[in-house]
Amino acid sequence: MSVTIDDELWSAVGDPTRRRMLDLLLADGGGTATTLSERLPVTRQAVAKHLGVLNRVGLVHVTPSGRERLYEVDEAQLARAIAQLSAVGATWDARLQRIKRIAEAIQRGREG
């Protein structure tokens, strides 16, 4: 499986506050900067900036809702991020197995 790694997407989900925001949006089915700021240890302005990053990479989509904007997770883009993470994990698992085999061969050479 060949998956192209999207650095902007990874940078967006690399931030713990943004990951927490995604968790809240998924659990609640959506939210506004105001509702999220009430549940996070950051200001509403900081939440709005984080939501802007998530929106730019397509992880959330925005719908105007009165004076606020409603944010919802784009599940297709989230699935893409998960696929990338899985691909990178599989690649590193294979690398670590090769390193383990090399280390074991070196150890056997020293013992024998």
Side-chain angles (χ1 to χ4, degrees):
M1 169 190 347
S2 175
V3 175
T4 302
I5 302 302
D6 182 337
D7 288 331
E8 287 185 10
L9 179 64
W10 277 63
S11 178
V13 296
D15 183 274
T17 300
R18 289 193 282 268
R19 287 194 307 272
R20 178 71 179 129
M21 291 170 67
L22 288 169
D23 288 341
L24 291 170
L25 290 172
L26 283 167
D28 297 343
T32 65
T34 301
T35 60
L36 289 169
S37 68
E38 292 168 355
R39 298 176 66 188
L40 295 166
V42 294
T43 65
R44 186 196 177 287
Q45 292 78 12
V47 168
K49 286 183 180 183
H50 283 298
L51 287 168
V53 171
L54 294 172
N55 186 39
R56 272 193 304 280
V57 299
L59 282 168
V60 297
H61 50 85
V62 186
T63 306
S65 177
R67 291 178 28 183
E68 290 271 8
R69 300 174 81 186
L70 180 64
Y71 293 85
E72 296 175 298
V73 174
D74 183 309
E75 292 187 21
Q77 185 70 332
L78 183 59
R80 187 171 153 253
I82 291 167
Q84 288 183 22
L85 181 60
S86 295
V88 168
T91 298
W92 275 101
D93 285 345
R95 288 176 183 162
L96 291 171
Q97 284 299 317
R98 285 193 301 270
I99 291 170
K100 180 181 176 191
R101 285 191 301 273
I102 291 168
E104 288 170 345
I106 292 169
Q107 185 65 30
R108 282 191 305 272
R110 288 183 181 164
E111 292 171 354

